Structures are given as structure tokens and as C-alpha cells.
């Protein structure tokens, strides 16, 4: 397993933990309906995303450091380019399908709880990170790294 693949695996693990924790928080009864009244869950989500971004930043700093001996060649850049293309399409489809589903669910009610807007915002960040790193891992593995 190459060093870049290991770094990508660490990022996938970190953002997967954030995603699972976020889903658990949002699935608690009353979270969506009473979003503005629950500062504890808001702070907890902010802390989770801080951890996700801290791991992401740390792995990028390690990757850029000459001390750790990372080097990218044309193959790595091609893999990252393919992964970003896949991630872009996945995120667009995710936002579209989620938004349309929420519209259909709340169409007759006339309004949607604001907690869903927060869910869309937070989950888009998670999806953007996972939809790039997971395909990157799969492409690295397919090419024998």
C-alpha cells in the first residue's frame, strides 16, 4: 500500500466517523423539529467537523512535507483527477435527490423544518469529502497500489 493510499484511508476513516456521528445526532427524536432550541447538538456537530477538518489538514501537511518522503507523479495526479470528477457528480446527485425528496415530503405541509437545511449543509460537506476519497481508494486499489 502506497503512502498516498494510507493518507487517503485515514481521511476516509475520519470522515466516516464524522458521518456516522452526524447521522446518529440527526436521527435522535426531535432534533430536526427543534434544531434552534438545542445548542448542545449544534456544538457537538461543530466539534465533529472540527475533528474531520483537523485530520484532513494534518494529512495534507504530512503529504506536503518533505520530511515524510511523499512524492506525486502523473499517475497520482490522474487518480486524484478521476476521483474529483466522480465526487463532483456524486455530490450533485446527492444534493438534488435529497432536496427533491424533502420537497415532496413537506410539499403539503407548506414548510420544512430548518433542521433539514442544517442537515443538507453538514451532510454535503461529508459527502464531498467521502465521494472523493472513496473513489480515490478504489482507483488506487484497481491499479495495484
Amino acid at each position: 500500500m502506497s503512502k498516498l493510499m494510507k493518507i487517503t484511508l485515514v481521511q476516509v476513516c475520519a470522515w466516516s466517523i464524522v458521518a456516522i456521528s452526524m447521522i446518529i445526532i440527526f436521527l435522535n427524536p426531535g432534533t430536526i423539529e427543534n434544531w434552534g432550541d438545542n445548542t448542545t447538538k449544534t456544538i457537538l456537530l461543530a466539534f465533529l467537523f472540527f475533528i474531520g477538518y483537523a485530520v484532513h489538514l494534518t494529512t495534507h501537511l504530512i503529504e506536503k512535507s518533505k520530511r515524510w518522503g511523499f512524492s506525486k507523479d502523473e499517475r497520482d495526479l490522474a487518480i486524484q483527477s478521476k476521483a474529483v470528477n466522480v465526487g463532483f457528480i456524486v455530490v450533485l446527485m446527492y444534493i438534488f435527490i435529497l432536496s427533491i425528496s424533502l420537497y415532496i415530503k413537506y410539499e403539503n405541509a407548506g414548510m420544512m423544518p430548518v433542521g433539514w437545511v442544517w442537515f443538507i449543509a453538514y451532510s454535503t460537506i461529508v459527502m464531498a469529502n467521502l465521494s472523493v476519497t472513496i473513489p480515490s481508494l478504489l482507483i488506487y486499489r484497481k491499479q495495484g497500489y
Side-chain angles (χ1 to χ4, degrees), residues 6-136:
K6 289 177 185 176
I7 288 287
T8 306
L9 187 60
V10 169
Q11 291 174 351
V12 167
C13 290
W15 283 108
S16 295
I17 290 169
V18 171
I20 291 167
S21 301
M22 181 195 75
I23 289 170
I24 290 171
I25 290 170
F26 273 102
L27 287 180
N28 278 331
T31 299
I32 296 291
E33 292 80 17
N34 302 318
W35 180 259
D37 298 334
N38 200 336
T39 56
T40 304
K41 290 181 181 177
T42 306
I43 292 171
L44 183 59
L45 279 170
F47 179 70
L48 285 170
F49 277 82
F50 174 76
I51 290 171
Y53 276 120
V55 169
H56 201 84
L57 176 66
T58 303
T59 56
H60 276 295
L61 290 175
I62 289 171
E63 184 181 323
K64 298 287 182 193
S65 173
K66 293 180 182 179
R67 176 180 174 192
W68 299 97
F70 282 93
S71 63
K72 288 185 182 179
D73 58 11
E74 294 82 21
R75 292 175 294 178
D76 293 316
L77 296 176
I79 288 171
Q80 289 178 346
S81 177
K82 287 178 187 176
V84 168
N85 288 339
V86 169
F88 180 74
I89 293 168
V90 169
V91 169
L92 285 178
M93 289 182 355
Y94 171 76
I95 293 171
F96 180 78
I97 291 170
L98 181 61
S99 299
I100 293 297
S101 300
L102 289 172
Y103 173 78
I104 290 169
K105 181 177 180 180
Y106 291 102
E107 182 178 15
N108 293 331
M111 65 178 202
M112 178 179 72
V114 72
W116 282 115
V117 177
W118 282 96
F119 178 80
I120 292 170
Y122 280 124
S123 64
T124 300
I125 293 169
V126 171
M127 282 299 294
N129 283 291
L130 288 176
S131 66
V132 171
T133 53
I134 291 174
S136 180

